[in-house]
Amino acid sequence: MLGEFFDRLVSSILLLRGSNPTFSNIKPKIESFTNRRFTYSHLAQLKFILPEAIEMKKTVTQNELTFCMKPDIHITLNTAAIMKPNQLSSESGHMYLKKMFRSRLLDYFKTHPEGDVPEETLPEPFNKSRKACVSEEANSTFGLERSTVLPAIQQPVPVSHLSKSFRKKKKVEVKTDKGPQRHLQ
């Protein structure tokens, strides 16, 4: 799967030559080529196998719909980093990158038969693994110590400060010609 992702990464970057090869631009192309989900984790694994050829830097892009700025990763392939001096053509450079990636991936699996490829560090804020985010969230939500006494900062807000829609309704008994009736107030 990683070999296929790398091949499609190279193809996607070549397709985006005139525009900005960012993760958000490359991701849909790789996913349409492979019919698989492509994540930051996959990108970090690709970078682990071929770190000198995959260059990444944090960039900020604007969302066309909301006009908000969001962080992204600019991805380039440095074929010169692993090319032999007698290979000059860019086409042969990209083919050589694919062969080199497959060779290193095979070497890694020969030496590590368990099959998990580690993740290289990505630029901030993309370098957190999914497991780390989940465990951080669980620790912050549930706390490491279970205490029955809440600190003064976390004490519940008195009911008088809440909107009327959040207050408990009072039952009021009203006397009418039909007899006493209960109403909520």
Side-chain angles (χ1 to χ4, degrees):
M1 181 177 75
L2 286 177
E4 186 178 0
F5 277 149
F6 185 77
D7 290 349
R8 300 306 166 227
L9 175 73
V10 172
S11 301
S12 299
I13 289 175
L14 288 173
L15 286 172
L16 290 169
R17 269 201 179 156
S19 64
N20 197 9
T22 60
F23 182 81
S24 57
N25 290 340
I26 292 170
K27 179 183 178 198
K29 292 179 180 6
I30 293 173
E31 289 177 345
S32 70
F33 285 141
T34 61
N35 291 325
R36 294 177 187 229
R37 189 167 175 231
F38 184 69
T39 64
Y40 290 114
S41 177
H42 294 126
L43 181 61
Q45 289 176 318
L46 297 177
K47 174 86 171 156
F48 179 83
I49 298 294
L50 203 60
E52 66 275 13
I54 301 172
E55 296 178 344
M56 294 183 250
K57 64 180 180 180
K58 180 184 171 188
T59 185
V60 180
T61 58
Q62 185 177 17
N63 185 330
E64 290 96 24
L65 298 175
T66 62
F67 298 110
C68 293
M69 302 303 282
K70 65 175 187 157
D72 208 344
I73 300 176
H74 185 267
I75 306 167
T76 54
L77 298 174
N78 183 1
T79 55
I82 61 167
M83 289 288 290
K84 295 176 182 174
N86 59 354
Q87 293 176 326
L88 299 174
S89 166
S90 66
E91 291 303 315
S92 67
H94 291 106
M95 291 303 291
Y96 186 72
L97 270 179
K98 290 179 182 182
K99 288 178 187 176
M100 178 64 75
F101 183 84
R102 294 239 181 225
S103 170
R104 288 193 185 174
L105 190 60
L106 277 172
D107 291 343
Y108 180 81
F109 283 124
K110 286 177 185 175
T111 58
H112 301 87
E114 68 273 1
D116 286 340
V117 176
E119 297 177 10
E120 184 73 25
T121 303
L122 297 177
E124 286 288 338
F126 307 102
N127 65 356
K128 284 190 174 182
S129 71
R130 195 166 153 196
K131 292 176 187 174
C133 290
V134 170
S135 66
E136 261 183 35
E137 186 177 297
N139 287 340
S140 67
T141 304
F142 300 113
L144 296 175
E145 296 177 13
R146 300 226 181 237
S147 175
T148 56
V149 179
L150 293 175
I153 298 171
Q154 295 180 351
Q155 291 295 327
V157 177
V159 177
S160 64
H161 291 23
L162 294 174
S163 169
K164 288 184 178 183
S165 63
F166 290 108
R167 290 186 188 154
K168 192 174 181 178
K169 304 227 183 237
K170 296 178 185 177
K171 291 182 182 178
V172 178
E173 197 170 301
V174 179
K175 293 182 182 177
T176 63
D177 296 345
K178 298 177 185 175
Q181 294 182 348
R182 292 187 177 184
H183 294 283
L184 294 177
Q185 209 178 22

